Amino acid sequence: MMKTKYLIAAFFAAAAASNSVIAKEAASASNQPTRVLQRINLSTTLYQLGLGIGEMAPDTMKERRMQTGPEVVYVLEGELVLMSEGQASKTIKAGESFQIPAGSVHATKAGPQGAKFIASWVWEPAKPFVVPAPR
């Protein structure tokens, strides 16, 4: 429980610190990989906390995948549709956030106005973060 509180606090502190970077981010006409803004080591563990910003063009999709660590996403502009395997699709609008547990098979799609978001994740640097989802 204490680690969860630390991760949530670190996420919001890093998001606030990166506010000037987010404000200067130029609009993009296509999907871009999430741009990493910062990574910090989580002391006494093998893990890092990452913070990034991403953008998706209108009605585009990030294909079905899974991640080796948990991720928290906050939508800044537009909306994203989260399609998690075994669950109903969920639309997340600007000002809302969602979590993706480690190992969850999912895909995301931008809404008709596209989407801009910040994401925070925990990962083990010696391993890949995004991996193909099993068929």
Side-chain angles (χ1 to χ4, degrees):
M1 184 67 152
M2 189 63 158
K3 284 184 182 180
T4 302
K5 287 180 183 178
Y6 173 77
L7 292 175
I8 291 169
F11 170 75
F12 286 109
S18 67
N19 197 24
S20 63
V21 174
I22 293 168
K24 294 176 186 175
E25 185 74 8
S28 169
S30 63
N31 283 347
Q32 301 283 327
T34 300
R35 185 168 63 97
V36 176
L37 299 173
Q38 187 171 15
R39 288 188 178 131
I40 60 170
N41 292 324
L42 298 176
S43 59
T44 71
T45 75
L46 299 173
Y47 299 96
Q48 284 187 342
L49 174 67
L51 177 70
I53 187 164
E55 196 163 341
M56 292 176 67
D59 298 313
T60 58
M61 188 163 184
K62 284 190 177 183
E63 294 301 323
R64 189 173 174 273
R65 63 200 179 278
M66 60 187 233
Q67 295 151 179
T68 58
E71 183 176 24
V72 177
V73 178
Y74 178 85
V75 179
L76 295 166
E77 297 173 11
E79 63 186 34
L80 288 173
V81 177
L82 175 65
M83 297 160 278
S84 295
E85 196 167 86
Q87 298 179 18
S89 295
K90 182 177 177 182
T91 300
I92 300 89
K93 298 176 187 269
E96 298 177 341
S97 64
F98 62 95
Q99 299 174 23
I100 303 171
S104 172
V105 176
H106 65 284
T108 49
K109 182 179 179 188
Q113 275 71 48
K116 188 173 185 179
F117 54 90
I118 55 173
S120 184
W121 59 91
V122 176
W123 73 305
E124 189 174 345
K127 297 180 180 177
F129 182 66
V130 177
V131 294
R135 293 282 170 197

